[in-house]
Amino acid sequence: DLQITKREKMGNTQPTNKTGRKVVQQKLENAKKTNILSLCEHKLESLPLSIFQITSLKTLDVSNNELTSLTSSSSFNNNNNSSATTSIKNIDTFQQLKSLNCENNNLGPGSLESITNLSKLQILKASNNMLGFSSIPNKKGGKFQKKNKNITTNTMPSLPTKL
């Protein structure tokens, strides 16, 4: 059971459970044990960098968020160097992934290119995004079974120059 305060109802903070830990953090901890992670409806604009530490994920549900890509990046300063270093993590980190649900986000053309490296991926749900005319790439070593790939109702960010 979640304890929701008036402030949380307004969307200013993440909900917490009875122990006071953030729900996302608790889900990440559980995913380390179950290899299943659902972060749907968390208003995420990017994937939390900490999920890429769970490389054994088999099921990932990030539907109903505000994601524009399936990557995460972080910048940090090196003490010996004045320039910032950027680390980019990609969805293909999850080599054990069998099911990916990224429906109802703001994913644009090319957002799903890295899934070609996910040889165990069997189920892809990517409907209601902005993928436009870009097709979902085929997996290396095979294609998705039609019943396991749902990419319907995607909008075009702009009209293609050639039809």
Side-chain angles (χ1 to χ4, degrees):
D1 293 325
L2 295 176
Q3 296 176 347
I4 298 176
T5 65
K6 184 176 181 181
R7 182 178 180 151
E8 289 168 338
K9 286 181 184 177
M10 295 179 356
N12 293 335
T13 62
Q14 289 186 359
T16 57
N17 60 18
K18 289 181 180 179
T19 63
R21 296 188 321 196
K22 291 184 177 181
V23 171
V24 171
Q25 185 60 38
Q26 183 177 4
K27 287 183 175 187
L28 291 170
E29 289 173 18
N30 289 340
K32 290 177 184 176
K33 300 172 191 167
T34 65
N35 297 319
I36 298 170
L37 178 60
S38 176
L39 294 177
C40 60
E41 298 181 3
H42 282 282
K43 298 181 182 177
L44 298 174
E45 294 178 4
S46 63
L47 294 176
L49 190 58
S50 53
I51 74 168
F52 294 97
Q53 296 172 357
I54 312 169
T55 57
S56 59
L57 276 181
K58 292 183 179 177
T59 301
L60 177 60
D61 183 349
V62 290
S63 62
N64 301 303
N65 281 294
E66 298 169 12
L67 298 173
T68 57
S69 74
L70 295 176
T71 62
S72 183
S73 63
S74 64
S75 295
F76 55 93
N77 287 327
N78 185 340
N79 291 339
N80 299 330
N81 191 341
S82 61
S83 64
T85 303
T86 302
S87 172
I88 298 174
K89 299 287 185 179
N90 206 321
I91 195 78
D92 63 5
T93 299
F94 307 117
Q95 289 298 305
Q96 303 302 312
L97 199 65
K98 292 182 177 182
S99 175
L100 173 62
N101 184 349
C102 55
E103 295 179 311
N104 302 309
N105 277 288
N106 297 317
L107 298 175
S111 298
L112 300 177
E113 286 297 319
S114 62
I115 68 168
T116 59
N117 298 320
L118 300 174
S119 61
K120 295 186 179 182
L121 190 64
Q122 298 171 1
I123 299 170
L124 172 65
K125 296 180 180 180
S127 64
N128 297 311
N129 278 290
M130 299 185 328
L131 298 172
F133 283 124
S134 69
S135 60
I136 304 297
N138 290 328
K139 296 188 322 176
K140 287 183 179 174
K143 296 181 179 181
F144 291 102
Q145 295 177 8
K146 187 170 179 118
K147 66 181 180 179
N148 290 335
K149 179 170 80 170
N150 182 356
I151 57 168
T152 59
T153 322
N154 275 287
T155 59
M156 293 181 295
S158 63
L159 288 173
T161 55
K162 292 182 180 180
L163 289 177

